[in-house]
Structures are given as C-alpha cells and as structure tokens.
Amino acid sequence: MVLLRLLVLLFALVVSDLHSLSWFINVSESQGPGTVLQFFSFNCSSYTPTPTLELLNVQPPTTFFNPPSLARWQGTYVGKLTLSSSARLDALMVNHYKLWLKFTCGNYVTEGPLFVDVQRDLSHIQCAGQFASPAGEMIQVPETVRPGARLYILLLPGLELHGAQVSPEHGMVGDRMGAGGWRE
C-alpha cells in the first residue's frame, strides 16, 4: 500500500485546469500493449455524478490508446492511460500523437491535450514478415542458383526503395543505384 502511494505521488499531477496545462511524454517504440503511459491525479469534491476522465480524440487517428481509467484513492481521483492490445508503435511511421482528454467533476468540465512522442529504439528491430516480391508473391529460389548470386536486397527501415527494379544484366537496383553507387 505504501509503495502504491509512493508511485501515485511520484507520477501524479494535481490539476485544477487541464486547459491551461499540457502534458508531454516520451515513449519508446518498444513499449507494448498494457504499458502505462501517464498517471493523472484530480481533486474533486463532487460525488454526484461520479467524476469521469475521457479520451475524446487521437491525432493521427489510431486505436493504440485505451480509454483512460479513473479510480478514487484516499480522497483523490487517479487516472491512468495505457497502450491498447492493438498498440504497435513505430517511430518511423508516426512519431507524434496528440490525445485530447476531458475531465468532468460535477458541473466542472475541462479539456486538454496530452502530447505523446514516440522515440526510436534501435535495439528493437521490427520485421515486416516473410520476403516477398514487389507484387506480393513469395520469392522462390531455384536449387540451381550459382554461388555468389544476389538472392535479395535488404531494405532497412527508413531507407526503403520505392519503385526500384532489379536489372538482370547488371544485378543492380534501378532508379537509385548506378555504376557510381547510391544517388538521390
């Protein structure tokens, strides 16, 4: 119980007006479903109706964030925002989310943003799946392929080649590679 109290005190923000306060948090792309992103602490003396904390909007739209929970604990309401079961953060795809939250306490209603910055985690490599051709079909390697022949080209995240073609006579990737190497 003491540990929970300490955690709440460390992570909680006592907020009287969400509109005048914005929250900024960083989260690693390696964080998965169920990860707690933020704790919130609210003072509310009104018990009727029960206070609420809602997630109104996420930009860009995604289902990666659960609706926030709100529970009463020793006279204070503590909210918690977590990643949903569909969360697959990728800083190269989307590195910034804006969540719009609404807190209601009796007749008092206030709203404010939570900015979530997704940070790259170079130790967390995400695979796109099995190797496939640009058309989507699986690549078949014949048993008669000669030693040293190029079987595939590895495309690293953020360095994808769009519209590239393999030149059979040179074994090079067209459009971006030439005799002089990589060119933009």
Side-chain angles (χ1 to χ4, degrees):
M1 194 62 137
V2 173
L3 180 59
L4 180 59
R5 179 183 294 159
L6 181 60
L7 284 174
V8 169
L9 290 175
L10 288 174
F11 292 109
L13 292 172
V14 177
V15 177
S16 61
D17 185 5
L18 279 173
H19 192 64
S20 65
L21 181 64
S22 296
W23 291 293
F24 296 86
I25 61 170
N26 294 321
V27 62
S28 170
E29 67 183 353
S30 63
Q31 297 301 309
T35 299
V36 176
L37 296 176
Q38 183 75 24
F39 284 99
F40 307 92
S41 178
F42 301 98
N43 290 322
C44 180
S45 58
S46 174
Y47 297 103
T48 309
T50 303
T52 60
L53 178 60
E54 300 172 75
L55 177 58
L56 299 178
N57 191 350
V58 178
Q59 289 299 321
T62 184
T63 60
F64 289 175
F65 305 97
N66 284 323
S69 63
L70 187 63
R72 185 178 158 97
W73 187 71
Q74 294 188 349
T76 302
Y77 287 90
V78 178
K80 181 172 69 171
L81 182 68
T82 59
L83 289 175
S84 74
S85 61
S86 67
R88 301 294 180 267
L89 299 176
D90 184 345
L92 292 176
M93 296 297 289
V94 178
N95 63 5
H96 182 80
Y97 293 95
K98 180 181 178 183
L99 287 65
W100 199 260
L101 300 167
K102 177 181 172 184
F103 176 67
T104 304
C105 173
N107 292 329
Y108 181 74
V109 177
T110 189
E111 298 179 5
L114 171 64
F115 299 98
V116 178
D117 288 323
V118 180
Q119 306 294 311
R120 292 286 319 268
D121 182 353
L122 298 177
S123 67
H124 181 73
I125 303 296
Q126 295 181 347
C127 297
Q130 297 179 347
F131 290 108
S133 74
E137 65 267 359
M138 293 302 301
I139 297 172
Q140 299 293 322
V141 179
E143 293 178 13
T144 58
V145 77
R146 61 180 169 73
R150 182 174 293 162
L151 299 178
Y152 62 87
I153 297 173
L154 180 62
L155 302 177
L156 299 174
L159 300 176
E160 289 86 359
L161 298 174
H162 300 284
Q165 297 178 348
V166 175
S167 170
E169 55 274 354
H170 296 105
M172 302 293 286
V173 176
D175 292 338
R176 300 268 176 117
M177 294 287 278
W182 180 262
R183 60 185 162 91
E184 289 287 30

